[in-house]
Amino acid sequence: GMHRVLRDAIREGQAAGRIRTGDPELLAQVVWAGLHGALALPNNLEMYTFGPDLAAAMTDHLMAGLRPA
């Protein structure tokens, strides 16, 4: 489901020159892992204080990492 949609979107972005080259399967896994972590950590690790903008910051960081060099 979600992984396939993300992988296919990365492939389309690569074909259009808007996403850097690389294995779309791996890039999709990295993006998914980063977003999942940013959303799950604040809910599962109460001993740490995470900022309220963690998910937005992670999304910005991951998207910047996908841009072509």
Side-chain angles (χ1 to χ4, degrees):
M2 177 62 182
H3 177 73
R4 184 179 65 244
V5 170
L6 184 55
R7 182 200 60 217
D8 291 349
I10 288 172
R11 282 185 181 148
E12 289 176 23
Q14 287 174 324
R18 288 177 286 183
I19 293 181
R20 70 181 181 92
T21 59
D23 178 7
E25 183 73 27
L26 178 58
L27 292 174
Q29 290 174 12
V30 168
V31 170
W32 193 353
L35 291 175
H36 180 273
L39 294 170
L41 282 174
N43 294 316
N44 296 316
L45 289 174
E46 295 173 359
M47 67 179 135
Y48 297 108
T49 302
F50 294 96
D53 298 327
L54 178 62
M58 178 59 78
T59 302
D60 289 346
H61 180 74
L62 291 167
M63 295 305 293
L66 290 175
R67 288 189 194 112

